[in-house]
Amino acid sequence: MFDSVYGNERLIKHLKNTVSTGNIGHCYLFHGEKGLGKRTVAKEFAMAIMCQAPDRPCQRCSDCVRIMREDHPDVHFVQHAKAVFSVDDIRDGLNREIVNRPISGSRRIFILDDAELLNTQAQNAMLKTIEEPPEYATIMLLSDNRDALLPTVLSRCVELSLEPLRDSQVKRALRGEDEQLQEAAVRHGGGNIGRAKRYLEDEAYREWVDTLGKILRALPDSDIVQLRRAAASIGTDKDRLIEMLSQMQRWFSGLMKTKALGEGPDIGCATEYSYEDFPRIFAAIENFSTRMKVNVNAELSLLLLLQEACPARN
Ligand SMILES: [Zn+2]
């Protein structure tokens, strides 16, 4: 049961309990960083609700298989037509659809992934539905940013958060021949299976990550010319920049720990920084993330960020 979900023992225990008591809620919010497996958990939960086998979800019956393939007639994935969810997406995909009774079983499930892309009007449009859905319906919102949801939406959801895994758990989830590459993927994943898998499987992504790693390692010795070159090689693609911020965050957290312990593979780099540098760098990362949302000149902001991320020279 819940075999394809790694770690998150408390969450799984809660869901198993919910299924075995039959006390299934009307609206759930699964939240946590991208790559932690929210969609997998939601599908397993849906399977557990729909499956008729004694040890559910059995992963073999037609309900389970169809949910896995995302073509079950009573398990809907609410889609957005454009970059964000609009009022129309919610009206057509959820509000109008949810009043139809189940086709094959006794329940209907609506899964809405990337719920952070619901604009305010769309969220308001779904309020009444998530407050009083038909008794046969369960709605699952999935999001990597719960702060993007209105308090009125949050208050109607059972919130469940997915946590990063231990390295040993990530390692078990990865398949591959190359031991060294696998180790690097586990390190890069930092408890996130999705990120580790992507590193293992997507060569272009891996090259970009490794380039960024080299840039971060070289910061203490970089002058402005090298920083400009570094900024140019990172680029201004928004998804990549989000990924970069997360990698920087993890790099500097690790570096701070290495400095405190006085040992580790990056001790040479860590000693170049003083303890006063770290709060400034974390603030700069936060600041860049905020500026990205208002679409300022990414190239210039990136250069400023890299400058801030160098050790302060007296
Ligand atoms: Zn089944």
Side-chain angles (χ1 to χ4, degrees):
M1 185 166 178
F2 288 98
D3 292 337
S4 55
V5 181
Y6 293 88
N8 288 291
E9 292 83 1
R10 274 179 53 206
L11 169 72
I12 298 307
K13 197 173 162 198
H14 175 86
L15 295 181
K16 281 183 179 173
N17 206 16
T18 302
V19 174
S20 63
T21 57
N23 200 4
I24 297 153
H26 281 305
C27 191
Y28 290 87
L29 168 64
F30 293 99
H31 61 91
E33 210 182 41
K34 193 176 165 170
L36 289 182
K38 296 182 289 294
R39 202 173 172 102
T40 306
V41 169
K43 280 161 70 174
E44 287 270 347
F45 187 32
M47 279 153 62
I49 294 170
M50 298 297 215
C51 179
Q52 303 292 324
D55 184 25
R56 52 192 180 159
C58 70
Q59 319 253 10
R60 288 183 300 272
C61 71
S62 74
D63 283 312
C64 284
V65 171
R66 294 194 73 177
I67 293 170
M68 233 182 294
R69 289 201 311 242
E70 304 190 2
D71 73 349
H72 192 287
D74 287 323
V75 180
H76 295 260
F77 289 82
V78 184
Q79 311 284 349
H80 50 96
K82 296 200 177 122
V84 295
F85 283 97
S86 66
V87 173
D88 286 341
D89 294 326
I90 295 306
R91 280 195 194 131
D92 298 340
L94 182 68
N95 297 355
R96 287 204 185 112
E97 190 58 44
I98 205 166
V99 296
N100 299 318
R101 297 196 60 85
I103 296 168
S104 72
S106 58
R107 297 198 69 86
R108 292 189 87 200
I109 294 170
F110 290 79
I111 299 177
L112 190 152
D113 204 348
D114 299 323
E116 67 282 354
L117 300 179
L118 286 157
N119 67 25
T120 307
Q121 292 89 327
Q123 291 189 48
N124 280 322
M126 67 191 277
L127 278 184
K128 211 173 132 26
T129 304
I130 62 175
E131 188 168 52
E132 288 174 337
E135 28 72 46
Y136 52 76
T138 293
I139 300 154
M140 302 180 193
L141 306 177
L142 321 182
S143 182
D144 56 20
N145 179 17
R146 75 178 283 286
D147 296 340
L149 296 169
L150 299 173
T152 43
V153 170
L154 292 175
S155 68
R156 287 160 171 83
C157 297
V158 176
E159 286 191 43
L160 298 165
S161 79
L162 276 87
E163 306 298 335
L165 306 183
R166 290 187 290 279
D167 283 354
S168 57
Q169 292 172 316
V170 175
K171 196 171 178 194
R172 243 178 296 143
L174 298 179
R175 272 174 258 274
E177 306 283 294
D178 188 333
E179 183 80 12
Q180 223 176 344
L181 187 58
Q182 238 182 36
E183 291 288 339
V186 170
R187 262 200 312 279
H188 174 67
N192 184 314
I193 290 189
R195 189 158 54 218
K197 273 192 180 155
R198 190 166 174 209
Y199 185 89
L200 200 62
E201 290 160 7
D202 181 343
E203 205 180 322
Y205 172 74
R206 184 164 66 237
E207 272 174 20
W208 183 84
V209 165
D210 290 346
T211 303
L212 182 57
K214 280 183 202 141
I215 289 170
L216 294 176
R217 240 171 229 110
L219 281 177
D221 303 313
S222 299
D223 58 27
I224 185 69
V225 178
Q226 284 158 317
L227 291 182
R228 272 208 195 97
R229 210 174 295 148
S233 67
I234 291 168
T236 54
D237 178 78
K238 202 164 176 184
D239 287 338
R240 287 277 160 98
L241 290 177
I242 292 171
E243 178 67 34
M244 174 200 75
L245 290 177
S246 133
Q247 197 173 330
M248 278 185 88
Q249 187 91 38
R250 281 176 287 124
W251 165 253
F252 284 107
S253 302
L255 217 54
M256 200 163 71
K257 215 177 283 171
T258 302
K259 187 175 173 63
L261 292 171
E263 59 178 23
D266 296 305
I267 184 67
C269 190
T271 49
E272 298 280 338
Y273 287 88
S274 74
Y275 284 112
E276 287 76 43
D277 284 324
F278 295 110
R280 186 194 71 246
I281 294 170
F282 290 126
I285 293 172
E286 187 66 44
N287 194 13
F288 183 85
S289 157
T290 314
R291 292 165 67 108
M292 244 174 51
K293 286 176 196 142
V294 291
N295 280 327
V296 294
N297 183 335
E299 224 173 305
L300 182 62
S301 304
L302 179 56
L303 184 60
L304 290 174
L305 173 62
L306 292 177
Q307 280 180 303
E308 284 290 339
C310 292
R313 314 268 183 221
N314 300 319

